Amino acid sequence: MSELDLAGRVVELVRRLAGPDAQAEVVVTRADLALTRFANSFIHQNVAESATAVRLRLHADGRTAAGSGSLVDPDGLTALVERTLAATRLAPHDPAWPGLTPPVPVPSGAPVDEATAAASPDERAARVRAFVDAVEGLEAAGYCRTAHRSGAFANSAGQSAVGRSVEAAMDGIARTGGADGVARHAADRLADLDGAALGARAAAKARAAADPVELPPGRYEVVLEPAAVADLLQNLSWYGFNGKRHAERQSFAEPGRAQFDPAVTLVDDPLHASGLPYDLEGTPRRPLTLVEAGTTAAVAHDRRSGAEAGTGSTGHGMVGASTFGPLPRNLRLLPTGGAAEVAAGQLSAGVTGAVADPDTAGLVAGMARGLLVSDFWYTRVLDPKQLVVTGLTRNGVWLVEDGVPTRAVRDFRFTESYPRAMGPGRVLGLGRVPVRQPDRMDGFWWEAPALRLASWNFTGGASG
C-alpha cells in the first residue's frame, strides 16, 4: 500500500470513529537511513534502518491532540485513531485552532537520485577509504551517511500531497598530536561526496594547526569558514526567524528594517535540495526570503502562528512548532555573484594548509590582521532577544597577518551577538562558493560560503 493510500485510510477511520465533524491530518513517511562510522582510521560500525511512521493530528469538539505509530496494519491504524481521539477528550480547549490546509497545488520536489536512494555499504565504505588514504597516516574519524525518504499527506478537508527526498553527507576529522582538521559536505547525490578531497582538506588543516600559540582575548577581524557560518545560520533560524518567538517579542527580527549588512541575503530554500515539498500540515513548501540585501523581510510561520500574525502559513509546520515555534530548516546565505554550487573535488582545490580552498584564500588575502576560524561548537544562547551567543572555536584557528596565516592559535571562547556581527557595515566579504553543511536533525541543512566580518568578540581561552 502506498503512503498516500495509508494516509487516506487513516482519514476515513477518523470519519468513522470520530464523526464527520472531526478534523484530521495525516502524515506518512517511509525512511531508509544508513550510516557508516569510522574511528582510528577504520570502519567500526555500519547500521541501517527502514521504518514507516504515521502521524495523526486530530481536532474534535474544540480540542486538539496528536499521536503517532509505526504499525500500518488495520489494527495498528485503528489503535492510533482511537488513542488520539481519547487524547483529544483530555486536552484543553483550543480556541486558536487554525483549521486544516485547504486543497492547494503542491510543487514537485527536486529530482531524486536513485543511486543514492539505493546506496550500498560498499559505496559508503569507498568514500571512507578515500578519506583515510588522503590523510596520509594521520588518525581519521567520522561518518558517511545516506538517507531516502518517501511520504504522503492527507487531511479531511481534501488536501493531499506526495514526495520523495534523498541526502548524502560526510563529516570527518584528521588528527595529528593535539591538532584536528575537519571537512564536511552534504549533497543530493552520493556521487558528489569526494572522500579524497575531504580527507585532503582535513589533513592539511590538521597539520597547519600544530603548535598553536595563545593570543589575548579581544575583538578581532575574522574570516569564518562555511562550517562556522553554519552555526550562525542555525541560531538565526531557531531564535531569530521563528514566527512564534517573533510574536512573543523574543526575536531580534524586525521585518522592514535594515538589520544586516547589504551583502547579506538569507533564503530558506527547501526546494533547492532534495526534500519533501510539503510541511507537516500539508502546506506547500516554497523559498522564503528572510533577509533581502540586508533588510529583514519575513519570519517563518506554520498555520497557527501565521493565523495569529495575520499572514498565513509560510510552509513551516513541523513537530514541536506549537511549543518552540516554526523554524526555517534549509537556510542559505547567498554568495557573492550568484548561487554557484560546490562541485566534487572543489573542496580540495588549492589546498595549502590553513587556507584550504581558493574561496577562503580570497577573503584572507584582504585581511591586515585577524583570525581565520574553521568551526564553532558548544554554542549556547545567553540573550535570545539580541541573539547573544557564547561558544568555542575548534578544529583550527590561525592568526592572519598581511593576508597570510602565520601561526596556529589556541582555541578561544567567544561571546557575540550574531545579528550585530553581521550588521550594516560589518560584512567585509562573502565567498563565491557555498558549501552545504549537514545537521543532526532530520531535514535540516545549512548552506553558506566563507564570510569575512569586521569584528568578533573573543572573551578568553577555551578553558576559561
Side-chain angles (χ1 to χ4, degrees):
M1 182 181 296
S2 72
E3 292 91 342
L4 187 58
D5 288 339
L6 276 175
R9 176 169 290 187
V10 175
V11 171
E12 289 305 316
L13 281 170
V14 169
R15 290 189 176 121
R16 178 163 61 85
L17 297 174
D21 294 332
Q23 300 179 55
E25 57 186 23
V26 183
V27 178
V28 178
T29 305
R30 284 192 171 120
D32 299 300
L33 313 176
L35 177 73
T36 300
R37 294 182 185 271
F38 59 105
N40 299 316
S41 301
F42 291 94
I43 292 174
H44 66 94
Q45 185 181 51
N46 182 76
V47 294
E49 175 187 11
S50 295
T52 299
V54 182
R55 184 181 188 277
L56 167 65
R57 187 166 68 159
L58 182 60
H59 183 76
D61 298 324
R63 304 169 189 269
T64 307
S68 61
S70 58
L71 300 177
V72 298
D73 62 307
D75 289 343
L77 297 179
T78 300
L80 170 61
V81 174
E82 288 176 339
R83 65 175 177 265
T84 307
L85 183 58
T88 64
R89 299 187 183 106
L90 301 174
H93 281 282
D94 184 6
W97 168 249
L100 300 174
T101 301
V104 293
V106 174
S108 299
V112 166
D113 180 61
E114 299 297 343
T116 301
S120 68
D122 286 346
E123 291 173 292
R124 292 188 299 278
R127 282 151 182 84
V128 174
R129 166 55 61 194
F131 187 102
V132 171
D133 287 347
V135 306
E136 297 180 336
L138 300 188
E139 183 181 332
Y143 69 80
C144 180
R145 76 183 187 204
T146 53
H148 170 228
R149 296 176 179 83
S150 59
F153 174 91
N155 68 21
S156 54
Q159 170 69 338
S160 64
V162 296
R164 296 175 66 204
S165 70
V166 293
E167 184 208 38
M170 192 165 191
D171 185 342
I173 63 168
R175 176 170 294 168
T176 173
D180 294 345
V182 67
R184 303 186 186 104
H185 189 201
D188 291 343
R189 304 192 314 152
L190 183 60
D192 290 337
L193 297 185
D194 187 334
L198 293 168
R201 180 187 181 100
K205 294 183 77 64
R207 292 188 176 99
D211 302 319
V213 299
E214 187 166 342
L215 289 184
R219 287 199 168 273
Y220 290 82
E221 184 180 328
V222 293
V223 170
L224 305 180
E225 293 192 339
V229 181
D231 189 83
L232 274 67
L233 301 188
Q234 182 183 50
N235 280 288
L236 289 169
S237 168
W238 280 74
Y239 295 95
F241 302 114
N242 175 327
K244 184 174 186 290
R245 296 189 70 88
H246 180 260
E248 294 170 347
R249 300 184 180 180
Q250 291 297 308
S251 163
F252 70 84
E254 298 181 34
R257 183 182 168 195
Q259 296 182 279
F260 294 85
D261 189 271
V264 174
T265 294
L266 292 170
V267 180
D268 187 59
D269 198 354
L271 303 185
H272 173 69
S274 179
L276 298 179
Y278 54 89
D279 72 358
L280 195 70
E281 299 172 317
T283 302
R285 301 185 70 201
R286 294 187 173 89
L288 176 66
T289 299
L290 301 167
V291 177
E292 178 71 47
T295 299
T296 302
V299 296
H301 288 293
D302 60 4
R303 288 186 62 79
R304 187 178 294 271
S305 71
E308 292 173 354
T311 62
S313 174
T314 56
H316 290 83
M318 57 184 290
V319 174
S322 61
T323 301
F324 189 86
L327 308 175
R329 292 178 287 170
N330 310 123
L331 199 53
R332 301 173 63 207
L333 174 60
L334 298 191
T336 300
E341 296 265 355
V342 63
Q346 195 166 359
L347 286 172
S348 64
V351 168
T352 59
V355 181
D357 60 81
D359 208 40
T360 303
L363 297 179
V364 168
M367 184 185 292
R369 189 175 192 275
L371 297 175
L372 170 63
V373 179
S374 293
D375 200 4
F376 292 144
W377 73 326
Y378 276 127
T379 53
R380 299 292 185 267
V381 175
L382 301 179
D383 180 350
K385 176 70 173 177
Q386 302 300 324
L387 195 49
V388 176
V389 177
T390 188
L392 305 174
T393 63
R394 68 168 174 174
N395 298 322
V397 183
W398 293 270
L399 175 65
V400 176
E401 297 175 297
D402 297 324
V404 178
T406 56
R407 292 297 302 270
V409 176
R410 292 188 184 276
D411 282 317
F412 277 108
R413 174 168 290 281
F414 68 87
T415 300
E416 185 60 82
S417 165
Y418 283 6
R420 176 192 175 281
M422 300 174 70
R426 297 183 180 275
V427 175
L428 303 182
L430 272 173
R432 296 171 297 171
V433 181
V435 181
R436 194 185 312 163
Q437 303 291 313
D439 193 278
R440 290 189 179 91
M441 293 189 65
D442 178 22
F444 284 67
W445 51 259
W446 321 100
E447 185 177 283
L451 174 65
R452 181 180 166 198
L453 298 174
S455 176
W456 196 265
N457 184 35
F458 295 98
T459 56
S463 60

